[in-house]
Each structure stands twice: as C-alpha cells, then as structure tokens.
Amino acid sequence: TVVITNQSGIARGLINEEFLHHLHQTIHVRLASSGGGIDRYYYCPHFPEAKIERYRQTCQCRKPAPGLIEQACREMGLDASRSVMVGDRWLDVACGRAAGTHTVLVRSGHGLSEADAPPPDDVRADAILNNLMEAVGWILRRCSRS
C-alpha cells in the first residue's frame, strides 16, 4: 500500500517537510496499532506558483503527472498494470491512467463533488465507489480472479 500525494502546502509555506514526515509517522503508528499499514509515502512538494522558490516548478511528480507512481514502481518492484490507484479526485484517476494502473474514484472526501462532475476529457475510472472500504473489496475481488 503506497500513498501518492500532492503537498503544495509545503511550496506555499503552510507546512514544512518535517511536519509532513511527522504526520506520516503518526498515521503509520495508528494504522499499525490495528494491524494495518502504509508501505511507503511519496509526495510532491512542488507548485508552479510557490511562495518558496526551491519548490516553484512544474514537475513530473505532481498529480496528474505519473512521476510518483513510476518512482514507486521502480523502487518497490511494483507492476503498474497490476496496481490500482484509488483517489477522491479526477486528477488521481488521470494520474493512475497515465501510469498504466487500474483506477477507482471514491465518493468520500473531495469525491463527494468530483463523482457527480463530468470527468475531464479522456479520463475514466474503472469503478466509482462510495468509499475506501468498497474500493478495497473491489480490489480484492479483482485479485481473486487473477
């Protein structure tokens, strides 16, 4: 399980990378206490209109660009074609498609409004589901067929 996330708050000076690492560690501890976990976090701190100059750039790691998924696949030995990008925005779906993954749009979080909006051109999800729990069930059913 990998988290791919845009974190423009770093580029905007709202949070720093140390805070983000602390947040990821907190999530890790909470999930581990109930038997779950995230194997790795990948984040993009960049933003084209960034307040902090070193983060002011257009990059290949900011979703919907596929750079972080491609990096995760290289570093972790993952096969994008056997992976699923689950997100609550169409840009998550576009990112997954660009990287060659299956995609699920969930209606929770930002997905409450995203799922009802028309998708951007040429972007389609393999499934639109209510929440992460339904997405996990969808993924497990697909795996059992393979």
Side-chain angles (χ1 to χ4, degrees), residues 25-71:
Q25 182 60 32
T26 300
I27 293 169
H28 174 76
V29 168
R30 288 186 179 181
L31 288 173
S33 71
S34 59
I38 304 295
D39 294 302
R40 200 164 303 167
Y41 293 87
Y42 291 88
Y43 66 92
C44 172
H46 308 116
F47 190 65
E49 295 86 37
K51 176 181 174 182
I52 300 173
E53 188 173 345
R54 71 178 176 190
Y55 298 117
R56 191 179 309 136
Q57 61 179 282
T58 301
C59 61
Q60 285 302 302
C61 63
R62 183 170 180 76
K63 294 182 294 183
L68 291 178
I69 293 176
E70 292 167 349
Q71 180 182 354

Side-chain angles (χ1 to χ4, degrees), residues 7 124 134-135 144:
Q7 292 297 323
R124 69 169 186 79
E134 284 186 12
S144 69

Side-chain angles (χ1 to χ4, degrees), residues 84-131:
V84 181
M85 173 66 151
V86 178
D88 64 351
R89 292 185 179 231
W90 285 113
L91 71 85
D92 299 318
V93 173
C95 177
R97 285 280 176 218
T101 71
H102 299 281
T103 58
V104 174
L105 179 70
V106 291
R107 289 187 179 99
S108 52
H110 294 287
L112 289 171
S113 59
E114 291 272 319
D116 293 331
D121 292 341
D122 300 326
V123 176
R124 69 169 186 79
D126 292 302
I128 299 175
L129 303 168
N130 288 320
N131 53 47

